[in-house]
PDB file of all heavy atoms in Angstrom:
ATOM      1  N   GLY A 266      26.043 -17.226  92.206  1.00  0.00           N
ATOM      2  CA  GLY A 266      24.988 -17.732  93.074  1.00  0.00           C
ATOM      3  C   GLY A 266      25.478 -18.977  93.776  1.00  0.00           C
ATOM      4  O   GLY A 266      26.462 -19.605  93.354  1.00  0.00           O
ATOM      5  N   PRO A 267      24.815 -19.380  94.869  1.00  0.00           N
ATOM      6  CA  PRO A 267      25.174 -20.637  95.521  1.00  0.00           C
ATOM      7  C   PRO A 267      24.831 -21.809  94.613  1.00  0.00           C
ATOM      8  O   PRO A 267      23.868 -21.744  93.836  1.00  0.00           O
ATOM      9  CB  PRO A 267      24.315 -20.648  96.790  1.00  0.00           C
ATOM     10  CG  PRO A 267      23.181 -19.722  96.500  1.00  0.00           C
ATOM     11  CD  PRO A 267      23.691 -18.694  95.550  1.00  0.00           C
ATOM     12  N   PRO A 268      25.607 -22.894  94.650  1.00  0.00           N
ATOM     13  CA  PRO A 268      25.289 -24.058  93.808  1.00  0.00           C
ATOM     14  C   PRO A 268      23.823 -24.444  93.950  1.00  0.00           C
ATOM     15  O   PRO A 268      23.278 -24.473  95.050  1.00  0.00           O
ATOM     16  CB  PRO A 268      26.214 -25.146  94.340  1.00  0.00           C
ATOM     17  CG  PRO A 268      27.394 -24.383  94.845  1.00  0.00           C
ATOM     18  CD  PRO A 268      26.828 -23.128  95.439  1.00  0.00           C
ATOM     19  N   PHE A 269      23.183 -24.718  92.833  1.00  0.00           N
ATOM     20  CA  PHE A 269      21.726 -24.901  92.792  1.00  0.00           C
ATOM     21  C   PHE A 269      21.267 -26.096  93.605  1.00  0.00           C
ATOM     22  O   PHE A 269      20.229 -26.062  94.236  1.00  0.00           O
ATOM     23  CB  PHE A 269      21.283 -25.014  91.336  1.00  0.00           C
ATOM     24  CG  PHE A 269      19.804 -24.898  91.128  1.00  0.00           C
ATOM     25  CD1 PHE A 269      19.103 -23.775  91.531  1.00  0.00           C
ATOM     26  CD2 PHE A 269      19.104 -25.925  90.502  1.00  0.00           C
ATOM     27  CE1 PHE A 269      17.738 -23.672  91.332  1.00  0.00           C
ATOM     28  CE2 PHE A 269      17.737 -25.828  90.287  1.00  0.00           C
ATOM     29  CZ  PHE A 269      17.058 -24.687  90.704  1.00  0.00           C
ATOM     30  N   GLY A 270      22.012 -27.197  93.560  1.00  0.00           N
ATOM     31  CA  GLY A 270      21.700 -28.331  94.423  1.00  0.00           C
ATOM     32  C   GLY A 270      20.487 -29.141  94.026  1.00  0.00           C
ATOM     33  O   GLY A 270      20.031 -29.981  94.799  1.00  0.00           O
ATOM     34  N   GLU A 271      19.920 -28.902  92.847  1.00  0.00           N
ATOM     35  CA  GLU A 271      18.783 -29.686  92.357  1.00  0.00           C
ATOM     36  C   GLU A 271      19.065 -30.143  90.939  1.00  0.00           C
ATOM     37  O   GLU A 271      19.848 -29.529  90.217  1.00  0.00           O
ATOM     38  CB  GLU A 271      17.497 -28.850  92.349  1.00  0.00           C
ATOM     39  CG  GLU A 271      17.034 -28.371  93.705  1.00  0.00           C
ATOM     40  CD  GLU A 271      15.727 -27.586  93.621  1.00  0.00           C
ATOM     41  OE1 GLU A 271      14.986 -27.759  92.634  1.00  0.00           O
ATOM     42  OE2 GLU A 271      15.460 -26.794  94.538  1.00  0.00           O
ATOM     43  N   GLU A 272      18.424 -31.233  90.553  1.00  0.00           N
ATOM     44  CA  GLU A 272      18.489 -31.683  89.171  1.00  0.00           C
ATOM     45  C   GLU A 272      17.308 -31.099  88.407  1.00  0.00           C
ATOM     46  O   GLU A 272      16.201 -31.016  88.930  1.00  0.00           O
ATOM     47  CB  GLU A 272      18.440 -33.203  89.095  1.00  0.00           C
ATOM     48  CG  GLU A 272      19.724 -33.864  89.580  1.00  0.00           C
ATOM     49  CD  GLU A 272      19.716 -35.348  89.313  1.00  0.00           C
ATOM     50  OE1 GLU A 272      18.630 -35.939  89.230  1.00  0.00           O
ATOM     51  OE2 GLU A 272      20.810 -35.914  89.187  1.00  0.00           O
ATOM     52  N   ILE A 273      17.578 -30.711  87.177  1.00  0.00           N
ATOM     53  CA  ILE A 273      16.514 -30.185  86.317  1.00  0.00           C
ATOM     54  C   ILE A 273      16.606 -30.862  84.952  1.00  0.00           C
ATOM     55  O   ILE A 273      17.656 -31.367  84.558  1.00  0.00           O
ATOM     56  CB  ILE A 273      16.600 -28.656  86.148  1.00  0.00           C
ATOM     57  CG1 ILE A 273      17.933 -28.247  85.500  1.00  0.00           C
ATOM     58  CG2 ILE A 273      16.403 -27.945  87.482  1.00  0.00           C
ATOM     59  CD1 ILE A 273      18.017 -26.772  85.155  1.00  0.00           C
ATOM     60  N   VAL A 274      15.481 -30.867  84.267  1.00  0.00           N
ATOM     61  CA  VAL A 274      15.454 -31.275  82.863  1.00  0.00           C
ATOM     62  C   VAL A 274      15.154 -30.027  82.047  1.00  0.00           C
ATOM     63  O   VAL A 274      14.149 -29.353  82.281  1.00  0.00           O
ATOM     64  CB  VAL A 274      14.386 -32.358  82.607  1.00  0.00           C
ATOM     65  CG1 VAL A 274      14.335 -32.711  81.134  1.00  0.00           C
ATOM     66  CG2 VAL A 274      14.680 -33.593  83.433  1.00  0.00           C
ATOM     67  N   MET A 275      16.040 -29.719  81.109  1.00  0.00           N
ATOM     68  CA  MET A 275      15.851 -28.547  80.257  1.00  0.00           C
ATOM     69  C   MET A 275      15.831 -28.981  78.798  1.00  0.00           C
ATOM     70  O   MET A 275      16.760 -29.649  78.328  1.00  0.00           O
ATOM     71  CB  MET A 275      16.970 -27.534  80.487  1.00  0.00           C
ATOM     72  CG  MET A 275      16.853 -26.305  79.605  1.00  0.00           C
ATOM     73  SD  MET A 275      17.807 -24.876  80.192  1.00  0.00           S
ATOM     74  CE  MET A 275      19.463 -25.538  80.183  1.00  0.00           C
ATOM     75  N   TRP A 276      14.757 -28.604  78.109  1.00  0.00           N
ATOM     76  CA  TRP A 276      14.627 -28.911  76.684  1.00  0.00           C
ATOM     77  C   TRP A 276      13.860 -27.779  76.025  1.00  0.00           C
ATOM     78  O   TRP A 276      12.805 -27.355  76.522  1.00  0.00           O
ATOM     79  CB  TRP A 276      13.896 -30.246  76.484  1.00  0.00           C
ATOM     80  CG  TRP A 276      13.689 -30.606  75.037  1.00  0.00           C
ATOM     81  CD1 TRP A 276      14.579 -31.229  74.205  1.00  0.00           C
ATOM     82  CD2 TRP A 276      12.526 -30.325  74.247  1.00  0.00           C
ATOM     83  NE1 TRP A 276      14.042 -31.361  72.947  1.00  0.00           N
ATOM     84  CE2 TRP A 276      12.774 -30.811  72.939  1.00  0.00           C
ATOM     85  CE3 TRP A 276      11.298 -29.698  74.509  1.00  0.00           C
ATOM     86  CZ2 TRP A 276      11.848 -30.700  71.901  1.00  0.00           C
ATOM     87  CZ3 TRP A 276      10.364 -29.588  73.481  1.00  0.00           C
ATOM     88  CH2 TRP A 276      10.649 -30.091  72.198  1.00  0.00           C
ATOM     89  N   TRP A 277      14.382 -27.307  74.894  1.00  0.00           N
ATOM     90  CA  TRP A 277      13.822 -26.163  74.181  1.00  0.00           C
ATOM     91  C   TRP A 277      13.662 -24.997  75.148  1.00  0.00           C
ATOM     92  O   TRP A 277      14.644 -24.547  75.724  1.00  0.00           O
ATOM     93  CB  TRP A 277      12.514 -26.553  73.482  1.00  0.00           C
ATOM     94  CG  TRP A 277      12.076 -25.557  72.436  1.00  0.00           C
ATOM     95  CD1 TRP A 277      12.870 -24.974  71.485  1.00  0.00           C
ATOM     96  CD2 TRP A 277      10.757 -25.056  72.229  1.00  0.00           C
ATOM     97  NE1 TRP A 277      12.120 -24.134  70.708  1.00  0.00           N
ATOM     98  CE2 TRP A 277      10.818 -24.168  71.126  1.00  0.00           C
ATOM     99  CE3 TRP A 277       9.533 -25.257  72.842  1.00  0.00           C
ATOM    100  CZ2 TRP A 277       9.703 -23.484  70.634  1.00  0.00           C
ATOM    101  CZ3 TRP A 277       8.412 -24.594  72.361  1.00  0.00           C
ATOM    102  CH2 TRP A 277       8.487 -23.720  71.267  1.00  0.00           C
ATOM    103  N   ASN A 278      12.430 -24.506  75.383  1.00  0.00           N
ATOM    104  CA  ASN A 278      12.219 -23.370  76.284  1.00  0.00           C
ATOM    105  C   ASN A 278      11.581 -23.793  77.605  1.00  0.00           C
ATOM    106  O   ASN A 278      11.048 -22.940  78.319  1.00  0.00           O
ATOM    107  CB  ASN A 278      11.331 -22.334  75.597  1.00  0.00           C
ATOM    108  CG  ASN A 278      12.017 -21.713  74.393  1.00  0.00           C
ATOM    109  OD1 ASN A 278      13.158 -21.292  74.476  1.00  0.00           O
ATOM    110  ND2 ASN A 278      11.336 -21.700  73.261  1.00  0.00           N
ATOM    111  N   PHE A 279      11.648 -25.078  77.910  1.00  0.00           N
ATOM    112  CA  PHE A 279      11.013 -25.602  79.121  1.00  0.00           C
ATOM    113  C   PHE A 279      12.055 -26.098  80.113  1.00  0.00           C
ATOM    114  O   PHE A 279      13.046 -26.716  79.726  1.00  0.00           O
ATOM    115  CB  PHE A 279      10.090 -26.780  78.772  1.00  0.00           C
ATOM    116  CG  PHE A 279       9.047 -26.475  77.740  1.00  0.00           C
ATOM    117  CD1 PHE A 279       8.873 -27.317  76.648  1.00  0.00           C
ATOM    118  CD2 PHE A 279       8.229 -25.363  77.860  1.00  0.00           C
ATOM    119  CE1 PHE A 279       7.900 -27.064  75.693  1.00  0.00           C
ATOM    120  CE2 PHE A 279       7.258 -25.098  76.908  1.00  0.00           C
ATOM    121  CZ  PHE A 279       7.090 -25.946  75.820  1.00  0.00           C
ATOM    122  N   ILE A 280      11.792 -25.878  81.397  1.00  0.00           N
ATOM    123  CA  ILE A 280      12.551 -26.509  82.468  1.00  0.00           C
ATOM    124  C   ILE A 280      11.568 -27.252  83.358  1.00  0.00           C
ATOM    125  O   ILE A 280      10.548 -26.689  83.785  1.00  0.00           O
ATOM    126  CB  ILE A 280      13.356 -25.488  83.284  1.00  0.00           C
ATOM    127  CG1 ILE A 280      14.499 -24.919  82.437  1.00  0.00           C
ATOM    128  CG2 ILE A 280      13.925 -26.125  84.555  1.00  0.00           C
ATOM    129  CD1 ILE A 280      15.363 -23.915  83.152  1.00  0.00           C
ATOM    130  N   GLY A 281      11.855 -28.517  83.624  1.00  0.00           N
ATOM    131  CA  GLY A 281      11.013 -29.342  84.489  1.00  0.00           C
ATOM    132  C   GLY A 281      11.884 -30.201  85.373  1.00  0.00           C
ATOM    133  O   GLY A 281      13.085 -29.960  85.538  1.00  0.00           O
ATOM    134  N   ARG A 282      11.280 -31.231  85.937  1.00  0.00           N
ATOM    135  CA  ARG A 282      12.008 -32.163  86.792  1.00  0.00           C
ATOM    136  C   ARG A 282      11.995 -33.585  86.246  1.00  0.00           C
ATOM    137  O   ARG A 282      12.587 -34.477  86.846  1.00  0.00           O
ATOM    138  CB  ARG A 282      11.431 -32.149  88.218  1.00  0.00           C
ATOM    139  CG  ARG A 282      11.661 -30.836  88.979  1.00  0.00           C
ATOM    140  CD  ARG A 282      13.140 -30.499  89.088  1.00  0.00           C
ATOM    141  NE  ARG A 282      13.426 -29.345  89.938  1.00  0.00           N
ATOM    142  CZ  ARG A 282      13.366 -28.081  89.541  1.00  0.00           C
ATOM    143  NH1 ARG A 282      13.009 -27.793  88.305  1.00  0.00           N
ATOM    144  NH2 ARG A 282      13.678 -27.110  90.379  1.00  0.00           N
ATOM    145  N   SER A 283      11.315 -33.782  85.120  1.00  0.00           N
ATOM    146  CA  SER A 283      11.244 -35.115  84.532  1.00  0.00           C
ATOM    147  C   SER A 283      10.950 -34.992  83.043  1.00  0.00           C
ATOM    148  O   SER A 283      10.497 -33.938  82.559  1.00  0.00           O
ATOM    149  CB  SER A 283      10.141 -35.947  85.205  1.00  0.00           C
ATOM    150  OG  SER A 283       8.868 -35.411  84.897  1.00  0.00           O
ATOM    151  N   HIS A 284      11.208 -36.071  82.337  1.00  0.00           N
ATOM    152  CA  HIS A 284      10.857 -36.143  80.914  1.00  0.00           C
ATOM    153  C   HIS A 284       9.362 -35.887  80.729  1.00  0.00           C
ATOM    154  O   HIS A 284       8.946 -35.187  79.791  1.00  0.00           O
ATOM    155  CB  HIS A 284      11.234 -37.522  80.375  1.00  0.00           C
ATOM    156  CG  HIS A 284      10.858 -37.754  78.945  1.00  0.00           C
ATOM    157  ND1 HIS A 284      11.671 -37.382  77.901  1.00  0.00           N
ATOM    158  CD2 HIS A 284       9.749 -38.312  78.394  1.00  0.00           C
ATOM    159  CE1 HIS A 284      11.073 -37.707  76.757  1.00  0.00           C
ATOM    160  NE2 HIS A 284       9.915 -38.284  77.025  1.00  0.00           N
ATOM    161  N   GLU A 285       8.543 -36.422  81.653  1.00  0.00           N
ATOM    162  CA  GLU A 285       7.083 -36.271  81.544  1.00  0.00           C
ATOM    163  C   GLU A 285       6.671 -34.806  81.674  1.00  0.00           C
ATOM    164  O   GLU A 285       5.717 -34.366  81.025  1.00  0.00           O
ATOM    165  CB  GLU A 285       6.390 -37.119  82.607  1.00  0.00           C
ATOM    166  CG  GLU A 285       6.498 -38.633  82.377  1.00  0.00           C
ATOM    167  CD  GLU A 285       7.883 -39.192  82.607  1.00  0.00           C
ATOM    168  OE1 GLU A 285       8.653 -38.586  83.407  1.00  0.00           O
ATOM    169  OE2 GLU A 285       8.223 -40.221  81.975  1.00  0.00           O
ATOM    170  N   ASP A 286       7.378 -34.030  82.496  1.00  0.00           N
ATOM    171  CA  ASP A 286       7.094 -32.594  82.602  1.00  0.00           C
ATOM    172  C   ASP A 286       7.256 -31.907  81.252  1.00  0.00           C
ATOM    173  O   ASP A 286       6.451 -31.056  80.863  1.00  0.00           O
ATOM    174  CB  ASP A 286       8.041 -31.929  83.610  1.00  0.00           C
ATOM    175  CG  ASP A 286       7.719 -32.246  85.049  1.00  0.00           C
ATOM    176  OD1 ASP A 286       6.615 -32.755  85.324  1.00  0.00           O
ATOM    177  OD2 ASP A 286       8.581 -31.975  85.907  1.00  0.00           O
ATOM    178  N   ILE A 287       8.318 -32.273  80.544  1.00  0.00           N
ATOM    179  CA  ILE A 287       8.592 -31.645  79.251  1.00  0.00           C
ATOM    180  C   ILE A 287       7.535 -32.051  78.226  1.00  0.00           C
ATOM    181  O   ILE A 287       7.038 -31.213  77.465  1.00  0.00           O
ATOM    182  CB  ILE A 287      10.002 -32.035  78.761  1.00  0.00           C
ATOM    183  CG1 ILE A 287      11.069 -31.604  79.773  1.00  0.00           C
ATOM    184  CG2 ILE A 287      10.274 -31.446  77.391  1.00  0.00           C
ATOM    185  CD1 ILE A 287      11.097 -30.138  80.096  1.00  0.00           C
ATOM    186  N   VAL A 288       7.194 -33.337  78.208  1.00  0.00           N
ATOM    187  CA  VAL A 288       6.167 -33.824  77.269  1.00  0.00           C
ATOM    188  C   VAL A 288       4.853 -33.090  77.496  1.00  0.00           C
ATOM    189  O   VAL A 288       4.187 -32.652  76.546  1.00  0.00           O
ATOM    190  CB  VAL A 288       5.976 -35.347  77.420  1.00  0.00           C
ATOM    191  CG1 VAL A 288       4.782 -35.830  76.606  1.00  0.00           C
ATOM    192  CG2 VAL A 288       7.246 -36.092  77.004  1.00  0.00           C
ATOM    193  N   ARG A 289       4.482 -32.923  78.770  1.00  0.00           N
ATOM    194  CA  ARG A 289       3.220 -32.262  79.098  1.00  0.00           C
ATOM    195  C   ARG A 289       3.249 -30.788  78.679  1.00  0.00           C
ATOM    196  O   ARG A 289       2.282 -30.272  78.105  1.00  0.00           O
ATOM    197  CB  ARG A 289       2.951 -32.392  80.594  1.00  0.00           C
ATOM    198  CG  ARG A 289       1.564 -31.915  81.026  1.00  0.00           C
ATOM    199  CD  ARG A 289       1.352 -32.144  82.517  1.00  0.00           C
ATOM    200  NE  ARG A 289       1.663 -33.521  82.894  1.00  0.00           N
ATOM    201  CZ  ARG A 289       2.704 -33.880  83.641  1.00  0.00           C
ATOM    202  NH1 ARG A 289       3.546 -32.978  84.123  1.00  0.00           N
ATOM    203  NH2 ARG A 289       2.901 -35.154  83.928  1.00  0.00           N
TER     204      ARG A 289
END
Side-chain angles (χ1 to χ4, degrees):
F269 193 58
E271 297 182 22
E272 288 188 334
I273 61 173
V274 177
M275 179 161 60
W276 178 84
W277 196 45
N278 294 312
F279 305 130
I280 291 181
R282 292 302 187 277
S283 67
H284 177 86
E285 291 71 27
D286 286 346
I287 301 302
V288 172
R289 188 177 309 111

